Amino acid sequence: MSATKPLPESVLISESCLQNRIRELGTQISTDYENRELILLGVLRGSVLFFADLSRAIFGAQLTDAGREVQIRFEFVQLTSYHNSRKPSRVQLIHGGSDYLEQRHVLIVEDIVDTGHTLKFLSEYLRTLNPKTVKVCTLLDKPSQRQVPVAIDYIGFEIPDAFVVGYGLDYAQQYRNLPYIAVLDET
Ligand code: IMP
């Protein structure tokens, strides 16, 4: 580990807090999409841990009485940016042809909404693929940093303006595997 690498300073959201809230989100999403097929669209790479836990908190056929279930399909997108720009410039669908979201219910699963540029870019792109509905679920929301307005349907936690890592979120590809969310000490 290099001497200049910032260290996670303090736990902002504990593992148990994350898991409790994700169970609540899963129950809410299960109710909202009852008896429908839902495409969970994970935004790589930050949403991976959240995606894995959220998908297991959404009731599948195996856990519920007959007639009460949400059929889930997993899909992923990756967004890339130009050099030195935080605004995304390209969406890459990891799987599927251009018509695979057509007339489907899609739920974007994001790690964090900060300026809102990523979500705006992705939403506009998805609209061209003609899905039936598109909603957004983000684990974290930093509303104080918003530069463009975006609609978010499910929010895990609103957080203050701090750089956070863990539970999928990184600093220079580090810390993604922390089981909690921590504030990074960049001093
Ligand atoms: P946007 O500013 O809303 O477009 O957010 C784009 C991306 O920036 C998010 O999906 C994260 O990958 C990253 N990001 C924003 N804030 C943080 C943070 O506090 N920690 C780690 N990554 C962040």
Side-chain angles (χ1 to χ4, degrees):
M1 187 182 285
S2 102
T4 54
K5 183 177 163 187
L7 291 170
E9 186 189 44
S10 56
V11 175
L12 183 67
I13 308 171
S14 69
E15 188 172 359
S16 60
C17 229
L18 283 171
Q19 295 304 329
N20 288 340
R21 181 70 186 122
I22 291 167
R23 270 194 292 275
E24 289 175 358
L25 289 171
T27 303
Q28 178 72 57
I29 292 166
S30 303
T31 304
D32 294 351
Y33 288 93
E34 194 175 322
N35 296 331
R36 298 201 202 151
E37 188 191 64
L38 175 63
I39 295 187
L40 282 188
L41 187 69
V43 183
L44 296 174
R45 299 175 209 155
S47 77
V48 164
L49 300 191
F50 177 44
F51 186 101
D53 287 337
L54 181 69
S55 64
R56 285 177 289 188
I58 297 172
F59 305 148
Q62 73 281 13
L63 287 179
T64 59
D65 300 338
R68 266 206 92 212
E69 62 169 300
V70 183
Q71 292 166 38
I72 300 283
R73 268 177 55 183
F74 287 9
E75 302 293 349
F76 296 93
V77 289
Q78 185 144 32
L79 288 97
T80 47
S81 306
Y82 291 118
H83 291 305
N84 300 324
S85 169
R86 288 197 56 195
K87 290 189 195 176
S89 54
R90 201 166 79 93
V91 181
Q92 187 189 353
L93 293 165
I94 300 304
H95 165 74
S98 59
D99 62 348
Y100 82 117
L101 298 182
E102 200 166 320
Q103 290 309 306
R104 309 272 188 184
H105 296 290
V106 178
L107 182 62
I108 298 171
V109 179
E110 262 282 25
D111 54 355
I112 186 165
V113 181
D114 190 11
T115 63
H117 287 297
T118 302
L119 194 51
K120 180 169 182 277
F121 187 86
L122 178 58
S123 303
E124 284 171 2
Y125 173 76
L126 290 180
R127 220 171 289 143
T128 67
L129 302 182
N130 200 24
K132 193 176 253 173
T133 63
V134 178
K135 287 191 177 184
V136 177
C137 178
T138 186
L139 178 66
L140 305 176
D141 182 21
K142 264 196 236 178
S144 61
Q145 290 299 299
R146 201 75 87 247
Q147 293 175 5
V148 288
V150 284
I152 309 177
D153 302 280
Y154 307 95
I155 297 173
F157 301 88
E158 264 190 23
I159 63 166
D161 178 22
F163 195 86
V164 292
V165 294
Y167 199 66
L169 289 109
D170 75 308
Y171 170 83
Q173 301 303 327
Q174 301 292 307
Y175 306 123
R176 288 195 196 274
N177 61 327
L178 295 176
Y180 48 82
I181 301 285
V183 174
L184 199 69
D185 179 6
E186 291 182 278
T187 55

